[in-house]
Amino acid sequence: MATKKICFFVGHYDPARHVIMMYYERIFPKDVELHVACASKFEKEKYPLKRIKVVEFLDKKSRVPFKLREFCKEKKIDFLINLTGNAEVALALLIATVFTKTKKGIYFLGNPKLTFKNWFFLFSQFFTLRFLACSNEVSEKFKKFLFFSRKKTFYLPFPVNVNKFKPKDKKKLRKKLGFKDKDKILLQIGRVEPAQGSDYLIKLIKNNQDKKFLSIGQVNDENFKNHKFKNLTLIPFIPNVQLPDYYNIADMCIFLTKRNSYPYPPRESMACGTPVVVFDIGAFKIISSPATMKIPFDYDALQKQVDKFFSLSEKEREELSKDGRNFVINDSSEEKLIDETLDKLLGV
């Protein structure tokens, strides 16, 4: 039987995509050949891979689809699927696969708006074998938008490795990472920018001088950069293998995205036993655990929720912690989703 070859196309490679690729390296059968085609510089030292082969297309954007087409024909790729989700990428995949033996799929990592700009999805659907979405909200939206593709559109969240993201000794880790046992620590994961709630984060840090804030991710908000917070520790990047330690030293996680799919941080945090506060957006409606505290787009509601959490007894916090972890295990752990993942990506 011939080796099956799958290629994942990305505009840029980042920590979230690396988590996904490491997961695929572990679960795909050894007779499946895996590739990543990247339209930007791939940082090999930062993102080590064991069995996935990486190719870079460092050319003009207009040339990338044709380079990708040549690559797929040369390597005899069976299935080409993106790890992003805008119409521009859908066009690139169509150019790369039309009138070839390579089948194509669209995997929505984000939550694209259904605007005139994305009209190309309506045409592209007739040449797309499978539509996958990390969020149930996105899946249902595109089933309505892509009327003729309802039966080939599926909800498939990226899973959390609950054997790595798990509760650890908080006191021991805090000492190791330079924090005190009595510190009230709030953790923010991801880019610091308006779309990720940086405006709310600024006010929260300023109004809670009795607490320590830890932010892991790039700061893209110039207004945020202008502030000098004494109660904030900024870390631009942490290898994924070290993230569980930081989730574990925190009392609670702050994830203030205003528009997203079904991201890792809230679920990773809960898997580590750390409750998280988020905005009540469609992406999180599937989360039923009280360990995910949903609030409206209102600063006072955010402050109230933080105050409420720190007023809880130790027993109440323990109950939240257990409930959150159990939810992730049953909702989107690797063990829960492995069969479905293999079916949707290999059964084409």
Side-chain angles (χ1 to χ4, degrees):
M1 186 175 178
T3 299
K4 192 154 193 175
K5 300 179 180 182
I6 300 178
C7 180
F8 299 94
F9 176 64
V10 300
H12 69 281
Y13 197 87
D14 60 14
R17 287 169 177 79
H18 190 58
V19 172
I20 298 162
M21 289 298 107
M22 289 192 296
Y23 169 59
Y24 289 161
E25 283 192 322
R26 292 197 305 274
I27 69 166
F28 274 92
K30 298 301 181 183
D31 62 346
V32 176
E33 190 175 295
L34 301 172
H35 298 263
V36 167
C38 190
S40 59
K41 185 68 177 176
F42 181 86
E43 300 177 73
K44 295 179 181 179
E45 295 75 19
K46 191 175 181 179
Y47 302 116
L49 292 169
K50 294 180 180 179
R51 58 179 286 206
I52 294 177
K53 302 172 184 178
V54 180
V55 60
E56 299 171 336
F57 298 128
L58 306 179
D59 207 333
K60 293 180 180 179
K61 281 188 176 181
S62 59
R63 287 287 306 152
V64 170
F66 300 97
K67 294 273 188 178
L68 184 59
R69 183 182 179 89
E70 292 172 7
F71 172 78
C72 288
K73 291 177 70 175
E74 178 189 345
K75 296 296 183 180
K76 297 180 180 179
I77 300 297
D78 296 295
F79 188 43
L80 173 66
I81 186 165
N82 73 304
L83 287 179
T84 178
N86 57 46
E88 184 181 37
V89 173
L91 175 59
L93 263 64
L94 179 62
I95 293 173
T97 59
V98 69
F99 304 128
T100 72
K101 294 181 179 181
T102 301
K103 301 170 183 176
K104 81 178 182 76
I106 301 288
Y107 206 151
F108 295 108
L109 269 69
N111 189 356
K113 294 181 180 179
L114 298 182
T115 62
F116 180 75
K117 180 181 177 182
N118 286 327
W119 68 269
F120 187 74
F121 283 125
L122 293 170
F123 172 71
S124 176
Q125 68 178 309
F126 299 108
F127 301 91
T128 303
L129 189 68
R130 185 151 289 171
F131 288 95
L132 301 175
C134 293
S135 163
N136 189 54
E137 175 199 18
V138 175
S139 174
E140 292 302 315
K141 179 172 68 174
F142 272 88
K143 281 182 181 179
K144 296 177 182 178
F145 183 58
L146 305 175
F147 184 80
F148 297 103
S149 298
R150 287 177 297 174
K151 292 184 178 180
K152 57 183 180 181
T153 301
F154 303 94
Y155 164 51
L156 182 65
F158 288 127
V160 175
N161 184 346
V162 296
N163 295 315
K164 179 171 72 173
F165 290 90
K166 61 183 179 181
K168 296 184 178 182
D169 188 325
K170 186 184 293 289
K171 188 173 184 179
K172 183 177 179 180
L173 283 173
R174 284 193 171 189
K175 184 177 181 180
K176 172 186 172 183
L177 296 173
F179 292 91
K180 297 177 181 178
D181 189 43
K182 65 179 182 179
D183 287 340
K184 297 178 179 179
I185 302 176
L186 292 89
L187 173 67
Q188 192 282 143
I189 296 282
R191 296 185 303 274
V192 178
E193 57 191 21
Q196 302 300 320
S198 59
D199 46 345
Y200 289 84
L201 186 60
I202 289 173
K203 291 182 68 174
L204 193 66
I205 297 173
K206 288 173 64 177
N207 294 336
N208 291 270
Q209 294 296 316
D210 62 322
K211 301 175 181 67
K212 293 190 175 182
F213 290 81
L214 179 59
S215 180
I216 300 176
Q218 294 293 328
V219 177
N220 299 329
D221 184 346
E222 292 301 323
N223 187 34
F224 190 93
K225 291 179 181 179
N226 291 332
H227 288 82
K228 303 298 180 183
F229 300 111
K230 293 182 179 179
N231 57 335
L232 170 67
T233 300
L234 283 171
I235 305 177
F237 174 77
I238 290 289
N240 185 262
V241 69
Q242 296 176 21
L243 277 178
D245 290 355
Y246 287 87
Y247 282 120
N248 270 279
I249 67 169
D251 292 293
M252 72 184 303
C253 184
I254 304 292
F255 192 75
L256 303 177
T257 182
K258 299 174 183 177
R259 180 182 179 82
N260 215 311
S261 185
Y262 196 29
Y264 274 120
R267 292 177 291 141
E268 290 175 341
S269 184
M270 285 196 294
C272 290
T274 302
V276 57
V277 59
V278 301
F279 286 130
D280 191 7
I281 59 177
F284 302 131
K285 292 198 179 299
I286 198 169
I287 300 180
S288 56
S289 172
T292 291
M293 299 163 276
K294 304 171 188 176
I295 60 169
F297 291 104
D298 177 76
Y299 175 76
D300 290 337
L302 172 60
Q303 184 64 63
K304 184 178 179 181
Q305 186 61 72
V306 170
D307 293 339
K308 180 181 178 181
F309 173 79
F310 281 103
S311 70
L312 296 177
S313 66
E314 185 175 338
K315 183 178 180 180
E316 288 172 320
R317 290 200 200 182
E318 287 178 359
E319 289 175 353
L320 272 184
S321 176
K322 291 178 182 178
D323 192 281
R325 178 166 172 80
N326 286 335
F327 172 83
V328 176
I329 290 173
N330 295 316
D331 169 73
S332 52
S333 62
E334 291 188 355
E335 290 76 10
K336 179 80 174 180
L337 294 173
I338 184 171
D339 290 339
E340 189 176 357
T341 300
L342 292 175
D343 175 67
K344 295 298 183 293
L345 292 174
L346 289 179
V348 293

